[in-house]
Amino acid sequence: MTTVIQSLRDIGQSYDALFCDLWGCLHDGTKALPEAVAALQDYRAAGKTVVLLTNSPRPRASVAAQLEQLGAPDSCYDLIISSGDAAQMAMAAGQFGRRVYHIGPERDLAFFSDGDGNPYDIERVSLEEAEGIVCTGLFDDRSETAEDYRATVLYGKTKGLKLLCANPDIVVDVGDLRIYCAGAIAEAYANAGGKSYYFGKPHPPIYALARDRLAELTGLPAQSADILCIGDGIGTDIAGAMGEELDSVFVTGGLAATETGTSKDGGPDEQLLADFLSEAKMAPRYAMPFLR
């Protein structure tokens, strides 16, 4: 049964490391959330380790720059592991060909270069010339949905192209605006009979990378019992934690705020939360309204 808590302090000291989501937990897409920043800073002050685990398609250096712009200081985390990091490794190895069609906005072009800004041996070409598809997002996520990519999906599937999904999220909230992500296109591609490959939450590659980087940082094996996952995505953060046999905290005030009866005035509603988790077939160990 999921236990509702009110703050990270209620349980945090039982774990040596956090795998913490960004969007919906640490920031809302427009600004860092002060209570969340303070909670992570307090956790680190106790000698614990914070790993920010994000489905952002951007490599960790770009994520760090974005966090700074949003007002989240580097004092609230130790490491950043992104879906982009894990997906880059597969792309750079040529698993999707050397000539790829890129679906995504210009702001994601850092995906095609390493941490020093050196471009990978990957050429971005038209769909007709491509050996594979790399999807980091929608070209215009403020106005488009996956349905706008129906022709691309059908062409790529018919041609037998593999699709690399650099961000498995279906949707995220930017302030009060809900926008679609690369995961929505990858889902449509798979539903049409194409092959989509995922590297972020809830899939194993990002967790393997996070465990390796955590062990490198601490010099100790990353034991599952010592790690707590925090996130607002029931199908990504919580599903991934359960798949990895890690304890988790479901932040109800993010993507599922309406479904769980969570607002700034209170919540979650225990019955709504129980119904939501039952329908999702998920059982996080803990839930709390907001990261704080």
Side-chain angles (χ1 to χ4, degrees):
M1 182 176 177
T2 300
T3 300
V4 176
I5 61 173
Q6 292 302 315
S7 76
L8 184 59
R9 289 180 180 176
D10 294 343
I11 57 165
Q13 297 311 309
S14 300
Y15 302 90
D16 292 331
L18 300 181
F19 285 178
C20 184
D21 184 36
L22 297 188
W23 217 311
C25 294
L26 181 56
H27 68 76
D28 66 359
T30 64
K31 63 185 181 305
L33 304 175
E35 286 189 317
V37 169
L40 296 183
Q41 289 174 326
D42 288 348
Y43 184 81
R44 293 188 69 234
K48 311 289 187 175
T49 304
V50 174
V51 179
L52 299 182
L53 199 65
T54 172
N55 271 351
S56 170
R58 305 179 189 184
R60 59 186 179 277
S62 295
V63 175
Q66 181 189 34
L67 287 175
E68 183 177 6
Q69 292 173 353
L70 293 172
D74 59 13
S75 60
C76 72
Y77 63 88
D78 296 277
L79 294 170
I80 297 173
I81 306 295
S82 74
S83 177
D85 291 330
Q88 271 186 324
M89 296 168 65
M91 182 191 69
Q95 294 181 22
F96 296 84
R98 293 293 172 187
R99 293 160 58 82
V100 303
Y101 177 62
H102 176 218
I103 302 174
E106 287 191 13
R107 66 176 180 269
D108 290 344
L109 291 183
F111 182 83
F112 294 91
S113 299
D114 65 21
D116 296 321
N118 302 310
Y120 290 113
D121 182 23
I122 299 292
E123 182 181 2
R124 289 181 293 115
V125 298
S126 68
L127 182 60
E128 292 73 20
E129 300 174 283
E131 300 168 346
I133 300 173
V134 171
C135 183
T136 61
L138 285 67
F139 291 122
D140 182 2
D141 56 20
R142 301 303 174 109
S143 64
E144 293 180 328
T145 71
E147 185 61 27
D148 294 300
Y149 293 81
R150 180 174 174 77
T152 299
V153 165
L154 293 177
Y155 183 91
K157 175 258 181 182
T158 302
K159 194 175 177 181
L161 301 180
K162 296 189 295 184
L163 183 145
L164 179 157
C165 177
N167 176 0
D169 286 347
I170 304 295
V171 295
V172 295
D173 291 333
V174 181
D176 295 327
L177 176 66
R178 180 156 293 186
I179 64 174
Y180 286 88
C181 304
I185 295 178
E187 181 180 60
Y189 198 75
N191 288 341
K195 293 184 177 180
S196 295
Y197 296 81
Y198 302 88
F199 297 85
K201 299 173 289 184
H203 304 280
I206 193 170
Y207 291 96
L209 182 60
R211 288 176 188 269
D212 288 345
R213 297 268 173 84
L214 177 60
E216 290 174 6
L217 177 68
T218 63
L220 299 170
Q223 302 289 344
S224 294
D226 298 330
I227 299 170
L228 177 68
C229 297
I230 301 176
D232 71 322
I234 196 70
T236 50
D237 302 300
I238 305 308
M242 292 181 65
E244 295 288 318
E245 298 184 342
L246 300 171
D247 286 350
S248 62
V249 180
F250 177 41
V251 176
T252 63
L255 289 170
T258 299
E259 293 85 347
T260 61
T262 306
S263 70
K264 293 179 180 178
D265 296 325
D269 179 276
E270 291 191 10
Q271 188 58 55
L272 290 178
L273 174 61
D275 292 344
F276 179 78
L277 294 177
S278 176
E279 183 176 353
K281 295 181 173 60
M282 295 290 166
R285 184 163 186 181
Y286 305 103
M288 66 177 168
F290 302 99
L291 176 56
R292 57 194 182 191

